[in-house]
Amino acid sequence: MGLSLVQHLGNINENDCKMTARIKDVALAAGVSVATVSRVLSNGPVSEELRRKVLAAVEATGYLPNLSARRLRSRHSHTIGLIVSDIRNPFFTAVSRAVEDAAYEVGMRVILCNTDENPDKEALYLRLMQEERVTGVILAPTGATAQQLDPVALGFPVVLIDRAALPGQADAVVLDNADAASMLVEHLLQQGYRRIGGLFGKTSTTGAERCAGMEAALRKHDLPGDARFILPTPEAAELALLSWLAEENRPDALLASNGLILLGMLRAARRAGIRIPEDIAIAGFDNDNWTELAGPGLTVIEQPVYDIGRTAMRMLLERLDDTGRSARKVVLSGRLVVRGSTASR
C-alpha cells in the first residue's frame, strides 16, 4: 500500500525539492539576513520598508515557507483536528463540512481523521494532533476514549460531537438522544405498534442514550422493549436483523440508532422478503438523502447536523479565548420526519 497523505506530507521538507527556493535565497535577493527574513515571515518587529522588500523577494524567488519548522517555533499551527468515527456515515460527512466552513471563515485549516470506532486509532490520531501542534480538536469519541479523555494532558482544547464524556470533562455538542428516541416510540405507539425493539450501536454513548430513551418511553405505557447492541455498521445490522426475523416472537416495529444501522436493517428485510410496514415497521435516526427514496420512505429523526458542526467550532474558539471556564454541554433537538415505513397498522 502507498503512504497515507499525512505520511507523505510528513516526509517532505525543503531539501527534498532541489528546485525549491530556500530562505537563504530570499535573504540574498532582499539584501538582508536570514534572521530578518524569518522575522518578516513570522510577523515579527521590522520596518514597513524592510517588510515590503522581503515580501517582494519571497514573491520573486517563489519561496514557500517550511510550515513544519514554523510550527516548532510557534505555539499553534492555526490548524484544527477533526476526528470522526466513520466518514462513510453521512452524519459525519455533513458535520465535517460544517466544521470546515466555520474554520475557513476564521482562517484555520482542518486535518480530518477517521477512526472506525477503534480506540487504538483514536489514540494514534490524538498523538498525531500533538505532533502537529494543532490549535484544538473536535472529536467524536468511542465510549472507551470518552471515559479517559484529558484535554489538559493532551495540551490542546477538545470539543466532543455526537458523544459526551464525563460531566465537566470536556465541551460537547450533542443531540437530545433520549428525547429523540422517545419521539419515535410515541409515534409508533400512536400508529398501533406495541412490540417495539431496537438495534443500537455498542461502541459509543449515543447508542446507550437512545436505547435508554426507547425503554423509558415504553415503561411509561407499561410495555416491554427488546434492545440489542451491535457494531454500528450496515453489515452488522443486516446479520443481526436476519437472525432476529427468524425468531418466533419478533417485534412488529424496530428502531435503528443511526443511519448505517438503518441501512443494514433495510437490506435484511429485503433479503428476508419482509414487507415494510405490512410485516414490520422500521424507523431510525439521520435523515439521509436515500431515506425518503427507500421502500415507502423511512421515518427518521432528523439531526441538526450543520448546526452541530458549526456549534462545535464556535465552542472551540470560545475555549481558546477563555481556557479557564467550566466545560459546557450544548444539547440540540431533533425533528421527527414521518414517512410510510411506520404507517398505521
Side-chain angles (χ1 to χ4, degrees):
M1 294 178 61
L3 291 175
S4 69
L5 179 58
V6 170
Q7 291 171 318
H8 179 65
L9 291 176
N11 289 337
I12 295 177
N13 58 49
E14 288 181 336
N15 295 324
D16 287 330
C17 301
K18 301 301 184 183
M19 301 302 293
T20 299
R22 299 169 299 173
I23 194 169
K24 292 180 180 179
D25 299 321
V26 177
L28 183 62
V32 299
S33 68
V34 169
T36 298
V37 175
S38 180
R39 280 199 300 274
V40 170
L41 294 178
S42 60
N43 292 317
V46 297
S47 68
E48 284 305 310
E49 180 182 356
L50 197 55
R51 186 180 304 279
R52 285 194 294 270
K53 182 186 294 186
V54 170
L55 292 179
V58 168
E59 184 175 356
T61 59
Y63 173 69
L64 297 175
N66 186 327
L67 296 178
S68 296
R70 186 183 295 179
R71 288 189 194 122
L72 292 174
R73 294 190 299 269
S74 85
R75 184 179 176 186
H76 297 303
S77 63
H78 300 289
T79 299
I80 297 299
L82 175 58
I83 305 176
V84 301
S85 61
D86 191 346
I87 196 60
R88 298 175 306 169
N89 188 333
F91 169 84
F92 288 115
T93 305
V95 168
S96 299
R97 175 58 190 264
V99 170
E100 194 278 333
D101 285 349
Y104 178 78
E105 290 171 6
V106 295
M108 290 184 171
R109 299 164 297 179
V110 177
I111 298 175
L112 175 62
C113 300
N114 175 76
T115 66
D116 295 318
E117 300 280 5
N118 184 337
D120 291 336
K121 289 184 74 174
E122 286 176 329
L124 171 68
Y125 287 132
L126 286 171
R127 285 196 298 273
L128 172 66
M129 297 304 141
Q130 291 175 313
E131 293 168 3
E132 290 293 318
R133 294 175 179 260
V134 296
T135 303
V137 165
I138 296 173
L139 168 67
T142 60
T145 296
Q147 290 296 313
Q148 58 188 8
L149 186 67
D150 185 356
V152 174
L154 288 171
F156 46 72
V158 177
V159 176
L160 305 183
I161 52 172
D162 190 49
R163 296 100 182 262
L166 297 174
Q169 192 173 15
D171 294 319
V173 52
V174 298
L175 184 74
D176 190 337
N177 289 306
D179 180 69
S182 178
M183 275 196 285
L184 288 174
V185 170
E186 293 294 343
H187 166 70
L188 288 168
L189 293 175
Q190 290 172 9
Q191 297 296 86
Y193 300 95
R194 291 296 179 269
R195 297 193 314 277
I196 298 173
L199 291 179
F200 299 91
K202 67 179 182 180
T203 56
S204 73
T205 58
T206 303
E209 290 171 358
R210 292 174 182 175
C211 176
M214 180 193 79
E215 291 177 337
L218 289 171
R219 281 196 303 270
K220 284 171 51 180
H221 298 272
D222 295 320
L223 292 172
D226 191 351
R228 304 187 182 187
F229 286 85
I230 61 171
L231 289 174
T233 66
E235 296 77 15
E238 183 175 1
L239 291 175
L241 185 52
L242 283 172
S243 176
W244 205 346
L245 291 173
E247 296 178 14
E248 184 176 350
N249 294 317
R250 72 189 188 199
D252 56 21
L254 282 172
L255 303 188
S257 70
N258 72 21
L260 297 181
I261 290 177
L262 187 62
L263 177 60
M265 289 169 60
L266 191 67
R267 290 175 179 171
R270 182 170 297 175
R271 280 183 59 181
I274 298 296
R275 298 170 301 164
I276 301 172
E278 292 84 358
D279 298 322
I280 192 168
I282 289 180
F285 283 77
D286 301 329
N287 191 24
D288 301 332
N289 292 335
W290 62 269
T291 58
E292 65 177 323
L293 304 175
L298 303 180
T299 293
V300 293
I301 292 292
E302 180 179 71
Q303 300 195 64
V305 286
Y306 201 78
D307 288 344
I308 289 173
R310 292 191 70 89
T311 300
M313 187 66 201
R314 186 184 73 244
M315 293 176 73
L316 187 59
L317 295 174
E318 291 172 351
R319 170 61 62 184
L320 291 168
D321 288 339
D322 184 5
T323 58
R325 66 169 173 77
S326 300
R328 290 188 301 144
K329 182 179 179 181
V330 175
V331 182
L332 303 178
S333 297
R335 182 175 73 93
L336 178 64
V337 179
V338 177
R339 298 192 179 108
S341 66
T342 57
S344 179
R345 300 216 79 180

